Amino acid sequence: KMEGEAGGVAPTGDAAAGATKDMLVMRLDEGIAKALEESQSRIGSEKADVDEKTDELAKEIEQMEDKSKKTWMHDHGLLDADGRARCSFHFCRKLFKDKTFLHKHLLKKHPEYLVAEQAKCHDNFMMQAWETEEVRPLPQILVDCGSRFGFVPVTVTGCDPDVVDPEPEIHAKEEERIKRLEEEERERYQQRNANYHKNQRNDYHAGNMPENYSNSNEANPKAGGNQNSGFVDVDDMKDEKVEINFDNVDVPMPPTKKKKKKKKKLL
């Protein structure tokens, strides 16, 4: 235990952890109570969370489900001559005292078949909602845009399922990107050229220019252009002619060959 500045005793580690946990539990309980209160008030209020058209469709579907339930229970019960009822499922065929017990049996033992029959009431409404939906919950389709762009995912839209060819838009974006890169490269080149000429002029005024630098461009920059600015363009191809004169050149003569003596043949 540690004594505080006011002379009190500070809680130990376990006690502090317990107090923190109790505080978290209290906050969680308050949040749950608040959520339950809001949900109860929402259930008790007459204000609907959806529009009136959806409420009307929901009521119509409920009526169709009730009608389908009555028809299904009537179709799956067989009445004997003595008034007893039998389950019509071929794997069951249980016999009951009257239709009341048969209906309880059908709802308790075979509810999955009733749910499947009632689900058919939703088909027309789901199809109508599907046909009127523009953005449908479908996976995207891969469209082949050539070897340059490859397969591009495209969303299916419209009342009649259709896709838009993405290749023209991709080409337009690619051309715009290339044009932007060329403009940036041109701006960088102009900036480098301007900095180079600025440095050349500063060096000329400071007296540090080479001998081959001419001040004609400084006096009249429109007359000479960039020819005498001292800038050497490596891409500027020039044809240079070389003249060769052999008038005063002594060409050494080749040495004379020695005559070989012929040997006499012995007979």
Side-chain angles (χ1 to χ4, degrees):
K1 296 182 181 180
M2 297 177 61
E3 295 184 358
E5 295 180 357
V9 179
T12 60
D14 295 338
T20 305
K21 184 176 180 182
D22 293 340
M23 187 178 298
L24 293 175
V25 172
M26 290 175 59
R27 290 181 179 177
L28 181 61
D29 292 340
E30 291 177 358
I32 294 173
K34 185 177 180 181
L36 289 175
E37 184 179 356
E38 291 179 356
S39 61
Q40 292 295 335
S41 61
R42 188 180 303 172
I43 294 173
S45 63
E46 297 180 356
K47 183 179 179 181
D49 294 335
V50 293
D51 55 332
E52 296 180 357
K53 184 178 180 180
T54 305
D55 290 339
E56 293 177 359
L57 291 176
K59 291 179 181 179
E60 185 177 354
I61 292 174
E62 290 177 356
Q63 294 176 0
M64 293 177 65
E65 287 180 350
D66 293 338
K67 185 177 179 181
S68 176
K69 178 180 177 180
K70 293 178 181 179
T71 304
W72 179 83
M73 295 178 68
H74 179 269
D75 294 341
H76 289 79
L78 299 176
L79 294 177
D80 293 346
D82 54 357
R84 292 186 296 179
R86 185 181 298 275
C87 180
S88 64
F89 285 101
H90 66 279
F91 52 85
C92 184
R93 306 296 292 178
K94 287 186 178 180
L95 185 64
F96 299 92
K97 185 176 181 180
D98 56 13
K99 294 190 295 183
T100 304
F101 294 99
L102 174 62
H103 292 169
K104 292 181 180 179
H105 165 77
L106 292 173
L107 295 177
K108 184 177 180 181
K109 298 298 183 180
H110 312 298
E112 64 275 11
Y113 297 97
L114 175 60
V115 172
E117 188 67 23
Q118 289 178 335
K120 298 178 181 179
C121 302
H122 300 253
D123 293 344
N124 293 332
F125 299 96
M126 293 176 64
M127 186 58 66
Q128 292 176 4
W130 172 266
E131 291 177 352
T132 56
E133 186 68 29
E134 294 185 359
V135 180
R136 302 183 178 184
L138 286 175
Q140 292 183 324
I141 297 176
L142 294 178
V143 178
D144 188 4
C145 297
S147 59
R148 183 177 181 183
F149 302 106
F151 291 93
V152 179
V154 182
T155 304
V156 180
T157 57
C159 296
D160 297 330
D162 191 12
V163 295
V164 180
D165 186 9
E167 192 169 358
E169 184 178 357
I170 294 176
H171 276 292
K173 290 183 179 179
E174 185 68 14
E175 291 177 358
E176 184 178 356
R177 186 183 69 85
I178 294 174
K179 184 178 180 181
R180 185 175 64 254
L181 292 176
E182 290 178 352
E183 291 179 355
E184 292 176 356
E185 182 64 25
R186 191 181 301 109
E187 291 178 357
R188 286 196 295 268
Y189 175 77
Q190 293 176 355
Q191 184 66 27
R192 289 197 301 266
N193 197 11
N195 292 336
Y196 174 79
H197 290 299
K198 183 178 180 180
N199 294 333
Q200 291 287 75
R201 287 193 296 269
N202 293 336
D203 292 341
Y204 174 75
H205 290 298
N208 298 328
M209 289 303 296
E211 296 178 356
N212 59 352
Y213 182 81
S214 176
N215 59 354
S216 59
N217 286 336
E218 194 72 24
N220 188 7
K222 295 183 179 180
N226 294 330
Q227 296 178 359
N228 298 324
S229 62
F231 176 74
V232 179
D233 189 0
V234 295
D235 295 329
D236 188 10
M237 303 298 294
K238 296 181 179 180
D239 295 334
E240 296 182 358
K241 295 181 180 181
V242 180
E243 295 182 359
I244 301 175
N245 189 2
F246 296 98
D247 295 340
N248 299 325
V249 176
D250 295 333
V251 179
M253 298 299 293
T256 57
K257 293 182 180 180
K258 294 181 180 181
K259 293 182 179 182
K260 293 182 181 181
K261 294 181 179 181
K262 293 183 180 180
K263 293 181 180 182
K264 293 182 180 181
K265 294 182 181 181
L266 297 176
L267 298 176

